[in-house]
Amino acid sequence: MKIIGTGVLLVSILPIIPVFAANSDLTTDPNTNTFVPVEVPHWYLGARGGFSEFQGACAKNAIDCDDNSMGYGLYGGYQFNDWFALEGGVTNYGTISALYQGGYTKANMSGTDLSAKFSYGLTDRVTLYGRLGGTYQYIDRETSWTGDSKPSGWGLTTAVGLDYKLTERLSVRAEYQFIDGANDNRASSDAYFGSIGLTYRFGSVARAKSIPAVIAPSAVPFVIPSTVTRVLLDSDFDSTSFHDNSHELPPLIEKAKQTQGTVVITGNADSKGPMGYNQTLSEKRAQAVGEHFISEGIDAARITVRGNGELRPKVSNDTVEGRTVNRKTEVEFKSKAHLNTGESQ
């Protein structure tokens, strides 16, 4: 069985998933810092593309055999709970061909399937799943000696895959599907389809339930709400150092020392230079600011650093002034809401 084409597709696409996820607005529970998923039950819809192979499609006396092709399709389903869904889809598995001494033959296979999908969460973002169901295949076959035929029929399909959540609604999945006995009225072959799919989930997003605090009868508390403070730091071209021209950073550091909360540092870059280099540069800029916070006594566990590269410019990069703005590193401090009972925090 040839799976080289599928392997190349997976190896080339999977490395970009962490970069996509790092630049997505992931919703997290502020208390546990874990991913917040779409509530179940919910509907979902997706599209996929990849490579097909038809094992045994060509006879032994074929002069030339092309038994693999690119394919694409749509799928959708209803997620009943965390581990079970019903999923249907339509797919064009592509066209294969063979050359014989007496002529040629080629066939295109498309189909629709309905399957039960069983999932197991490996982490809050990664899910392993399997599908089992039936598929109705339609084959458009052409030969040079007997003309065209359009057979169709039912078969069994199974699949296994990994789903990686990029955001609360969007995820990417890698899947390997098997179709038992893709038949036409002259031959039978097993079909294999390796694909990458992008899924969108409909429905509301789950939120953590707040637990009321127990207050002593003698206390007269009042809630101090959470606050968000942002500071923009300048960086020179192609440099990881930063400048606090507005002199707002020292008060922010002092506030972070005196109150509990999280510090999120996001580095940016202008569009000059290669995209990969700018991504690394933005991460180093954020890291430099993070190390400064740690040197000032802020716990590293409270600090998150990330880089946008050149992907999120605030203004156009066509001018020097615009590129200066787009190189700024953003520091965001979010203090925690708490009950003030007169005691020190």
Side-chain angles (χ1 to χ4, degrees):
M1 181 176 62
K2 302 175 192 174
I3 56 174
I4 296 176
T6 303
V8 171
L9 179 69
L10 296 180
V11 169
S12 62
I13 293 181
L14 289 179
I16 71 171
I17 294 175
V19 176
F20 191 175
N23 290 282
S24 300
D25 293 327
L26 297 175
T27 303
T28 56
D29 182 339
N31 298 316
T32 63
N33 200 34
T34 57
F35 182 79
V36 179
V38 175
E39 290 181 325
V40 291
H42 64 259
W43 293 94
Y44 62 89
L45 184 66
R48 63 177 182 165
F51 287 92
S52 306
E53 181 182 357
F54 298 82
Q55 188 178 40
C58 300
K60 293 182 179 180
N61 63 336
I63 299 173
D64 184 53
C65 177
D66 183 8
D67 58 0
N68 53 57
S69 177
M70 294 190 68
Y72 56 90
L74 298 173
Y75 59 88
Y78 189 77
Q79 190 76 41
F80 289 90
N81 52 43
D82 291 337
W83 60 271
F84 179 72
L86 281 179
E87 181 172 307
V90 291
T91 306
N92 186 314
Y93 296 97
T95 300
I96 59 175
S97 62
L99 180 65
Y100 298 92
Q101 190 69 37
Y104 73 92
T105 179
K106 66 178 181 178
N108 176 270
M109 188 177 88
S110 57
T112 181
D113 58 73
L114 180 65
S115 59
K117 180 168 173 276
F118 305 92
S119 303
Y120 179 77
L122 301 178
T123 69
D124 55 353
R125 288 181 173 83
V126 180
T127 301
L128 174 69
Y129 70 87
R131 295 196 294 115
L132 174 64
T135 176
Y136 186 82
Q137 300 301 324
Y138 176 84
I139 299 174
D140 186 359
R141 180 187 177 103
E142 175 188 339
T143 65
S144 61
W145 54 83
T146 59
D148 299 346
S149 61
K150 301 182 184 298
S152 59
W154 287 96
L156 176 69
T157 184
T158 58
V160 64
L162 282 174
D163 184 274
Y164 185 94
K165 294 181 177 67
L166 300 173
T167 70
E168 60 194 20
R169 299 189 183 279
L170 195 65
S171 67
V172 64
R173 72 184 194 180
E175 182 183 278
Y176 199 62
Q177 181 183 8
F178 168 70
I179 301 171
D180 184 29
N183 294 294
D184 66 19
N185 51 16
R186 291 186 174 87
S188 175
S189 63
D190 294 332
Y192 302 84
F193 185 48
S195 65
I196 296 292
L198 195 63
T199 306
Y200 183 85
R201 293 171 175 81
F202 301 89
S204 57
V205 178
R207 300 298 177 188
K209 295 181 179 179
S210 60
I211 301 175
V214 178
I215 303 172
S218 59
V220 185
F222 61 95
V223 176
I224 296 180
S226 63
T227 59
V228 177
T229 306
R230 291 183 178 87
V231 172
L232 295 176
L233 305 176
D234 294 317
S235 291
D236 296 330
F237 175 73
D238 200 25
S239 171
T240 60
S241 62
F242 61 93
H243 310 289
D244 180 19
N245 295 330
S246 60
H247 306 291
E248 295 177 337
L249 191 57
L252 178 61
I253 294 176
E254 191 62 28
K255 185 177 181 180
K257 290 180 180 179
Q258 297 177 1
T259 58
Q260 293 297 313
T262 57
V263 181
V264 178
I265 304 169
T266 305
N268 296 281
D270 60 36
S271 61
K272 291 289 186 180
M275 181 180 292
Y277 178 84
N278 289 336
Q279 176 65 37
T280 302
L281 181 61
S282 68
E283 294 169 357
K284 289 182 177 180
R285 285 170 174 165
Q287 186 66 35
V289 178
E291 290 171 357
H292 178 71
F293 270 75
I294 295 172
S295 69
E296 292 291 329
I298 307 301
D299 187 356
R302 298 169 58 191
I303 301 172
T304 299
V305 297
R306 61 191 182 188
N308 288 331
E310 64 181 71
L311 298 180
R312 294 188 177 180
K314 300 294 184 182
V315 296
S316 172
N317 278 297
D318 293 336
T319 64
V320 174
E321 293 78 12
R323 291 191 292 272
T324 299
V325 172
N326 293 333
R327 288 196 299 267
K328 290 181 181 291
T329 299
E330 180 179 5
V331 181
E332 180 181 278
F333 173 70
K334 184 177 182 180
S335 65
K336 288 185 177 180
H338 63 275
L339 290 173
N340 189 330
T341 60
E343 301 177 356
S344 60
Q345 298 295 320

